[in-house]
Amino acid sequence: MAPSADIAIEPIAPIEPPAPLAPLHALPPPFTDSNLEVLTQGAEALVYKTTFLTPATPCVVKYRPPKPYRHPTLDKRLTKTRLLAEARVLVRCRKEGVGVPGVLAGDWDNGWLVLEWIEGMTVRKVLDEWADKVKRGDKKEGDDEMLGVMRKVGRAVGRLHDIGVCHGDLTTSNLMLRQPSSSTEHASPLFQHRGHQTVSAMREAAMDGADGSEPSPPQPQSELDGDIILIDFGLVSQTIQDEDRAVDLYVLERAFSATHPAAEPLFQKILTSYGESFKGAKTVLRRLEDVRLRGRKRSMLG
Amino acid sequence: MASVRTFHLPHYPAYPVQVALFKDVANAAFLRSQLLEANPDFDYAFLDATMILTPNHLLSATFLALHASQTSRTKTRTAHSELVFRLHPNNNIGESYRKFGISDTTTHLIAVKFSLTPNITNESVSKHLGEFVKGESVAIGEEGEELGIWCDVGKVRKVYKLGEEKKTKKGAVVNGNVEMDARKEIESVVLGMITLKGS
Amino acid sequence: MIALGLEGSANKIGIGLISHPSSNKPPIVLSNLRHTYVSPPGEGFLPKDTAIHHRAWVVRLIKQAVRQAGVKIEDIDCICYTKGPGMGAPLQSVAVAARTLSLLWGKPLVGVNHCVGHIEMGRAITNASNPVVLYVSGGNTQVIAYSAQRYRIFGETLDIAIGNCIDRFARTLMIPNDPFPGYNVEQLAKKGKNLVDIPYAVKGMDCSFSGILAAADILAHSTNEALPDGKRLKTEDGEIVTREDLCFSLQETVFAMLVEITERAMAHVGSKQVLVVGGVGSNERLQQMMGMMARDRGGTVFATDERFCIDNGIMIAHAGLLEYKTGITTSLEDSTCTQRFRTDEVFVGWRD
């Protein structure tokens, strides 16, 4: 038997990439008017900003379009299951006081969900801007404000796990730092009063006051003072398994090291704060070590 | 003539929603009997105003009812009955009417009418309700601020099984807006629950 | 500069010679030979037998490759071999050959990470500048993107590799291993039409295949043609589920998972290019699905044909030469091989 030989002397001719086609942006009814602003074309869903119920209420429409690459039966099954799971968990989180956007409406068969608008920016962007500042010498690496954000992230993830929910896709793009309450405006005029403060801000104040160890500095207010809001629960699961919780943290850790290599030490702060956030968090951290090790064993075979 | 506010829900501009608010209603029993007889002239959603938490509470159920009727997936006969049904967290239609619909003793009333056909306008609804509802018409502001002023929050919490209101923590009372924020929190959960119902 | 590459991390032994003319000209493949150890149906390849196969073929292949390339020994700059990851015994058999050549000819050695070899070869052939890489083979399932001198792993399998899952499924159905099990599963899948429910296991950018394999194996037993009709697995419409349907369902499910995690990684790093490498990357259905996903995102998918997708010596020679040009060689004492060698352990000194 002769070895499968290829032609000798063969320059590598690069393959011409096919011309990219325009992506599809068509929502199902009733979301067909021009009052839509594309926010992201995520892997899972198309996310738009629009208004809902009143022309003054901003909201997010999340549409899971049919994936042409997926078998239609599988696609329908996945879309419905995931959308419903997402909505159920969000409502549960709101009931339990975990920082997530509220559910305003949804249609599982047609693949859309309307969610509360969160004013703020992603932790990913916060980290990017911080990295720029460090590079320019405006900030130093162990910056207290930044550590404060990390502490809040750890606490938010801990709260989520505490109520038996694992996010499933915990990346820095799925963590929002809400714009501090003094500058947010509620859309409904019913709630537009002077000197108004959100419940979440009060909760934060109450919590800080309760443990007394970390009094929040009263002034001046920084843009990093807002609450952490967890978004995109597209791959969420309801579970209290240490394994699932640890994998959540592992995914976040890898998102950190993959996109913010310089910010890896900050992740330690998240873990510390997570460890103090609920009973059982310490066991999860121990499990995380196992998950890391196993992750490294995975490349055993070629 | 009764005062009627026309709402144009974003994404459903073709179907305006006519909403009227009344207090000191004296003939609730008559209005309810018309519903029971399925008198086509009284195809409204007559709601107990003490069960409506906020304008968004009403509008969200309105949107869902309209969407169900437009995508032919209503669980009830009309878009109006669908609205009453949609407000309740469970799938029991009778229970929805008992909790959110008009009863013989209702004094604070919200009447909702979808303009599904061109002959139903602000004027037509205003004229018809003005003629048949014996009560004081209350004007509704542009943003529907008045919807929710008579809300019995305790009753709403009970229907949606939200449990007792938590004691306000010391130091959290700021500028007397605690109640509004608490309501905003309830609203957020309630909107989620009515969206999820039945699935 | 010219490099000789030796690859033998799994059941294929590949020898290739590559030339990098100058920095702004594309590399030239001088020769690319491969021989595959094929095990009987229902069996996988065992390390011991595979190593014997590699030892038996290595000298013959090197002689033929050098002759075909038309180069003199003096023209060769370095000997590149697969350091890992892979199966121990086959890796060792090829590493011994590389060391012998190094001493015999007095040439420096360069130990190459197998995964990096796939990535660099894929980039060279397709001209994809900075793609998200899906590396799918019998031993690996990784979604990789380049960042700060490393190929970072964004997502990977939490248990067994995709190729392993398909191969073992093929074994259960007694599908032949020649030319390779995945190819035969692909041909059967083309005739399948009923989608059977198989677990779908994606966690963030990771996925898991062991549960799927277990479920598919159970289903496979209930499609055994020897069973009476009453006991055969049926669809909701009462149709009998065939082997072809199972292959089809398995492919549709596991490939959907791969495309999904790739898409998520693309969204995360903001890339519009995908490069598929590794043996499973030669599957046309996977390429088609990936293409549909990329098109939807306004991006492009790059895939290589089986000469470069499936393990080969050229990719080792190419990646090794890139590293050699940055001044790095592997001393004889360090010229070991290792079963565990993560993609992100390699310092990528040749990229910006």
Side-chain angles (χ1 to χ4, degrees):
Chain A
M1 191 168 30
S4 57
D6 285 284
I7 325 111
I9 321 267
E10 175 193 20
I12 298 174
I15 298 163
E16 280 300 313
L21 296 168
L24 305 160
H25 280 301
L27 271 114
F31 301 99
T32 41
D33 59 10
S34 55
N35 177 21
L36 291 166
E37 178 196 333
V38 181
L39 294 175
T40 55
Q41 190 196 0
E44 287 294 294
L46 304 174
V47 183
Y48 298 83
K49 183 182 182 178
T50 181
T51 55
F52 194 67
L53 302 182
T54 76
T57 316
C59 76
V60 167
V61 177
K62 226 182 140 171
Y63 173 50
R64 287 177 175 269
K67 295 282 183 191
Y69 66 80
R70 221 148 44 193
H71 189 284
T73 311
L74 178 62
D75 190 58
K76 277 213 173 71
R77 183 182 112 198
L78 289 174
T79 301
K80 187 170 177 173
T81 326
R82 288 176 175 180
L83 211 55
L84 258 173
E86 179 170 7
R88 284 197 184 112
V89 163
L90 287 174
V91 172
R92 226 188 111 211
C93 285
R94 283 311 289 240
K95 266 192 197 168
E96 307 271 359
V98 180
V100 300
V103 175
L104 301 178
D107 183 337
W108 331 120
D109 297 316
N110 289 307
W112 57 261
L113 191 62
V114 182
L115 301 172
E116 179 193 347
W117 175 257
I118 305 290
E119 195 66 53
M121 61 175 164
T122 63
V123 168
R124 172 156 192 203
K125 188 147 178 264
V126 173
L127 283 168
D128 283 346
E129 288 184 1
W130 170 80
D132 282 348
K133 280 181 188 160
V134 170
K135 220 180 250 172
R136 286 202 309 267
D138 293 353
K139 293 270 179 196
K140 58 180 195 304
E141 290 204 11
D143 183 59
D144 280 349
E145 266 192 342
M146 210 50 217
L147 289 175
V149 174
M150 295 304 116
R151 197 190 69 226
K152 282 187 284 191
V153 169
R155 200 192 281 161
V157 176
R159 277 288 291 131
L160 185 77
H161 285 179
D162 192 21
I163 67 161
V165 175
C166 284
H167 186 281
D169 188 14
L170 210 52
T171 63
T172 45
S173 312
N174 286 338
L175 293 161
M176 295 266 304
L177 183 62
R178 199 210 288 262
Q179 197 174 308
S181 52
S182 64
S183 48
T184 46
E185 273 181 48
H186 278 290
S188 167
L190 187 59
F191 304 109
Q192 280 181 358
H193 296 286
R194 282 169 53 81
H196 154 87
Q197 196 184 7
T198 62
V199 170
S200 39
M202 278 186 282
R203 195 183 308 117
E204 179 85 2
M207 276 173 71
D208 284 348
D211 60 39
S213 56
E214 294 169 318
S216 51
Q219 290 293 334
Q221 196 171 44
S222 150
E223 56 173 10
L224 299 183
D225 276 354
D227 286 328
I228 293 293
I229 307 293
L230 298 138
I231 60 164
D232 195 355
F233 283 67
L235 284 172
V236 75
S237 55
Q238 304 214 32
T239 160
I240 52 162
Q241 302 268 312
D242 285 339
E243 169 70 16
D244 295 315
R245 289 169 170 170
V247 168
D248 242 6
L249 293 177
Y250 184 58
V251 168
L252 183 60
E253 182 173 31
R254 283 226 316 265
F256 251 79
S257 57
T259 36
H260 314 285
E264 278 180 57
L266 286 178
F267 189 74
Q268 284 315 309
K269 185 71 193 172
I270 295 184
L271 292 184
T272 318
S273 145
Y274 176 89
E276 292 157 1
S277 64
F278 69 102
K279 215 176 134 222
K282 291 277 192 298
T283 352
V284 178
L285 292 179
R286 277 197 293 278
R287 187 59 174 252
L288 174 63
E289 284 165 29
D290 295 347
V291 173
R292 280 192 198 122
L293 284 173
R294 192 189 55 203
R296 280 167 214 290
K297 256 189 226 165
R298 264 182 249 143
S299 55
M300 260 187 83
L301 293 175
Chain B
M1 298 287 275
S3 172
V4 174
R5 168 65 62 185
T6 305
F7 289 95
H8 295 273
L9 295 174
H11 312 292
Y12 272 120
Y15 305 103
V17 183
Q18 317 295 347
V19 183
L21 181 64
F22 297 91
K23 65 175 178 180
D24 304 329
V25 176
N27 63 336
F30 164 75
L31 297 170
R32 185 162 168 268
S33 70
Q34 296 308 302
L35 286 184
L36 293 175
E37 286 167 25
N39 179 348
D41 292 342
F42 283 82
D43 185 15
Y44 287 96
F46 284 133
L47 305 169
D48 180 347
T50 63
M51 289 303 292
I52 298 300
L53 187 73
T54 58
N56 278 351
H57 182 203
L58 177 67
L59 291 177
S60 138
T62 307
F63 181 94
L64 291 170
L66 185 60
H67 182 66
S69 79
Q70 291 306 306
T71 48
S72 317
R73 281 179 302 173
T74 49
K75 296 266 165 61
T76 60
R77 238 169 17 88
T78 71
H80 297 105
S81 51
E82 190 73 11
L83 167 53
V84 183
F85 170 68
R86 267 285 152 194
L87 280 164
H88 200 274
N90 300 335
N91 267 333
N92 187 325
I93 298 171
E95 194 60 20
S96 311
Y97 268 91
R98 271 192 290 284
K99 294 287 190 231
F100 290 90
I102 192 171
S103 71
D104 290 352
T105 56
T106 299
T107 53
H108 295 84
L109 178 72
I110 294 170
V112 182
K113 179 91 175 172
F114 291 103
S115 292
L116 297 174
T117 53
N119 60 321
I120 294 165
T121 62
N122 186 297
E123 291 73 33
S124 75
V125 172
S126 167
K127 189 161 170 285
H128 186 252
L129 288 176
E131 194 175 328
F132 289 99
V133 178
K134 289 197 171 52
E136 189 184 323
S137 169
V138 178
I140 300 171
E142 206 172 313
E143 306 285 344
E145 302 89 318
E146 289 74 11
L147 300 162
I149 47 176
W150 292 312
C151 179
D152 182 340
V153 180
K155 254 165 65 185
V156 171
R157 290 190 80 100
K158 209 171 149 204
V159 168
Y160 291 104
K161 297 196 169 66
L162 296 178
E164 289 300 301
E165 198 164 354
K166 283 174 205 117
K167 274 253 172 101
T168 318
K169 274 186 187 136
K170 194 185 149 224
V173 185
V174 182
N175 303 330
N177 287 312
V178 175
E179 205 227 312
M180 284 305 152
D181 282 324
R183 227 186 243 207
K184 187 94 190 137
E185 277 299 301
I186 304 172
E187 177 198 287
S188 172
V189 176
V190 165
L191 296 196
M193 286 176 76
I194 59 179
T195 299
L196 273 173
K197 81 176 245 160
S199 45
Chain C
M1 280 205 244
I2 293 171
L4 171 71
L6 292 85
E7 149 66 26
S9 62
N11 68 334
K12 292 159 201 79
I13 178 161
I15 309 293
L17 277 122
I18 201 161
S19 162
H20 287 189
S22 66
S23 56
N24 47 11
K25 282 204 188 112
I28 298 168
V29 176
L30 301 175
S31 59
N32 185 14
L33 302 181
R34 176 166 58 215
H35 195 268
T36 306
Y37 169 60
V38 179
S39 51
E43 277 179 35
F45 47 93
L46 298 170
K48 185 169 146 258
D49 300 335
T50 312
I52 291 171
H53 166 268
H54 289 3
R55 283 200 293 272
W57 280 89
V58 66
V59 174
R60 180 172 166 184
L61 284 175
I62 292 170
K63 275 186 178 169
Q64 195 173 337
V66 172
R67 200 181 316 129
Q68 205 178 72
V71 295
K72 294 194 283 292
I73 303 299
E74 306 89 270
D75 300 335
I76 297 173
D77 291 273
C78 59
I79 314 283
C80 311
Y81 74 100
T82 309
K83 190 175 174 66
M87 292 168 80
L91 278 172
Q92 279 164 21
S93 63
V94 174
V96 166
R99 269 178 237 138
T100 310
L101 283 183
S102 167
L103 292 172
L104 201 64
W105 295 344
K107 307 281 181 192
L109 278 168
V110 182
V112 175
N113 179 296
H114 181 84
C115 314
V116 172
H118 271 296
I119 297 169
E120 289 305 343
M121 201 63 215
R123 284 181 60 232
I125 290 167
T126 61
N127 243 11
S129 53
N130 188 20
V132 164
V133 182
L134 175 68
Y135 173 30
V136 276
S137 67
N140 284 286
T141 309
Q142 298 179 343
V143 181
I144 302 155
Y146 175 79
S147 160
Q149 252 68 55
R150 303 263 171 199
Y151 284 112
R152 290 175 196 272
I153 301 170
F154 274 66
E156 60 190 318
T157 176
L158 295 169
D159 37 59
I160 60 171
I162 171 75
N164 193 238
C165 175
I166 295 173
D167 290 356
R168 283 160 68 178
F169 171 75
R171 249 175 261 162
T172 311
L173 285 182
M174 295 301 269
I175 292 168
N177 291 331
D178 186 29
F180 56 98
Y183 177 83
N184 295 326
V185 170
E186 182 180 1
Q187 301 319 310
L188 285 171
K190 283 178 183 165
K191 293 180 214 137
K193 56 186 194 312
N194 292 313
L195 187 82
V196 184
D197 254 15
I198 288 178
Y200 188 95
V202 166
K203 272 188 183 181
M205 289 190 228
D206 296 325
C207 48
S208 147
F209 297 104
S210 65
I212 291 173
L213 178 63
D217 276 354
I218 293 166
L219 290 172
H221 289 299
S222 57
T223 57
N224 189 340
E225 279 158 27
L227 286 172
D229 271 10
K231 291 205 171 163
R232 293 277 299 273
L233 182 70
K234 294 194 187 66
T235 65
E236 281 175 19
D237 305 327
E239 261 183 85
I240 283 182
V241 175
T242 61
R243 269 153 56 102
E244 287 79 5
D245 287 338
L246 272 193
C247 291
F248 171 72
S249 306
L250 180 76
Q251 279 203 167
E252 288 301 309
T253 309
V254 294
F255 291 165
M257 288 164 55
L258 293 177
V259 176
E260 183 179 338
I261 60 169
T262 308
E263 185 173 17
R264 192 162 296 125
M266 285 171 80
H268 193 75
V269 301
S271 170
K272 286 204 184 296
Q273 297 180 327
V274 201
L275 172 64
V276 187
V277 300
V280 182
S282 66
N283 186 298
E284 285 172 14
R285 177 59 184 149
L286 176 61
Q287 290 182 7
Q288 183 194 30
M289 286 166 76
M290 201 59 88
M292 285 193 258
M293 179 275 284
R295 190 196 61 202
D296 243 28
R297 301 188 60 79
T300 38
V301 61
F302 299 89
T304 53
D305 60 40
E306 58 98 28
R307 283 171 307 168
F308 302 107
C309 231
I310 296 170
D311 293 350
N312 59 80
I314 273 294
M315 68 183 204
I316 300 301
H318 177 60
L321 194 49
L322 287 173
E323 184 154 10
Y324 178 71
K325 286 196 282 189
T326 67
I328 292 174
T329 55
T330 307
S331 66
L332 191 67
E333 301 76 54
D334 296 331
S335 66
T336 52
C337 47
T338 168
Q339 297 187 346
R340 302 170 196 181
F341 189 4
R342 273 179 78 83
T343 315
D344 50 14
E345 284 172 38
V346 179
F347 179 80
V348 182
W350 54 91
R351 282 189 69 173
D352 296 329

